[in-house]
Amino acid sequence: MNRTIRHLSLVTLAAAAVLVPSAAALAADATGCSGSVVSMTADGAKLDAATAPGAGGTADNPLKLDPGGTVAWTGSSTTAITGGTWSVSALGVTLLSGDAANTEKKTSADGTTDLSTIPALKVLLSGSTKIPVSGTITGTGGSCTASGYVAGTGSLTSAPLFWIGSVLALLGLLLGVSVLTGTKAVATTAAVTSGGAAS
Amino acid sequence: MTAKRHHVRGFFAGLFLGLGVALLLFVLGVLPMTVAWLGIVTLVGIVLGVVLAYVAPVRAT
């Protein structure tokens, strides 16, 4: 498959997975492109699905992903985007990026992406964490921009962020207790002085 | 007599508690993991920690 079209479809994947923030609770949205995605577990069982524009991939109903699984996607752009670049990012971290030559000037594609090839997802999608994802492809002939939410499906105890959060919260509580127990009445210099003079 | 309070300790107590609670809320899927939510929850924790230091009951020495 044309590499550029694959990249376009990955952006469309993000479009299917996410929403424009202002419409996050309504439906998946995308500008300049459309598509759908079906997420599957590492065992190949269907996990979730979303379309953009359409249902799924919202903050209230994020697209569930198995970081070790795959996603089957279809996508299309309103115009053939050639000679550009593409990227998919989450929390300001670029997960995937590349050039988008698209010399064949295709406007649609489909395929499957192995999420296990994106190590950052294993950390970001631990537990039930839901994260905003955005994707863009820009080049000659147009552009495609999308954003929305995806969520993890792993167990809490397997999530590093769970343990980090627990330790930090416990440390904060202990410090809070020490603030309570450490607040004591002390004699001022004047009190000590007057006390000394009296004696 | 005056009260010896621990404002700096309260600040860090709130900071750690806020960060920890934010991470737990993220992992539990209660809040979307964004810098904005991380900042808000942490800031709330810091404010609570400092306020706690100011209002904590004074214990007799």
Side-chain angles (χ1 to χ4, degrees):
Chain A
M1 177 184 295
N2 184 294
R3 185 177 177 82
T4 300
I5 292 298
R6 289 185 61 196
H7 298 161
L8 171 64
S9 299
L10 284 172
V11 173
T12 304
L13 165 67
V18 296
L19 305 174
V20 171
S22 60
L26 302 176
D29 198 9
T31 302
C33 52
S34 62
S36 63
V37 59
V38 176
S39 63
M40 288 170 283
T41 66
D43 299 329
K46 180 181 175 181
L47 185 62
D48 201 0
T51 59
T58 68
D60 293 336
N61 182 26
L63 176 69
K64 295 179 179 63
L65 295 179
D66 179 354
T70 60
V71 289
W73 47 262
T74 62
S76 63
S77 60
T78 53
T79 59
I81 303 172
T82 61
T85 58
W86 65 274
S87 67
V88 177
S89 61
L91 298 173
V93 178
T94 300
L95 301 176
L96 297 166
S97 64
D99 297 325
N102 191 21
T103 55
E104 300 176 6
K105 297 185 177 180
K106 293 183 177 180
T107 59
S108 65
D110 60 79
T112 301
T113 299
D114 185 358
L115 298 180
S116 65
T117 61
I118 310 173
L121 282 181
K122 291 182 180 178
V123 176
L124 293 175
L125 292 179
S126 57
S128 300
T129 307
K130 55 184 173 185
I131 59 174
V133 179
S134 62
T136 183
I137 181 169
T138 304
T140 304
S143 65
C144 167
T145 303
S147 61
Y149 290 84
V150 296
T153 56
S155 66
L156 280 179
T157 54
S158 66
L161 291 181
F162 172 78
W163 295 108
I164 294 173
S166 298
V167 170
L168 283 174
L170 181 60
L171 184 59
L173 285 175
L174 291 176
L175 278 175
V177 170
S178 75
V179 168
L180 287 173
T181 58
T183 303
K184 298 177 180 177
V186 294
T188 61
T189 304
V192 171
T193 303
S194 63
S199 63
Chain B
M1 298 293 281
T2 186
K4 178 176 175 55
R5 299 188 178 277
H6 302 279
H7 307 108
V8 174
R9 196 183 298 177
F11 171 87
F12 283 104
L15 174 66
F16 292 143
L17 184 62
L19 282 173
V21 169
L23 291 181
L24 291 177
L25 291 177
F26 291 158
V27 174
L28 292 170
V30 176
L31 294 176
M33 183 187 284
T34 63
V35 174
W37 275 119
L38 180 66
I40 290 171
V41 176
T42 302
L43 187 60
V44 169
I46 290 173
V47 170
L48 290 177
V50 173
V51 168
L52 174 67
Y54 272 102
V55 303
V58 180
R59 293 159 56 92
T61 54

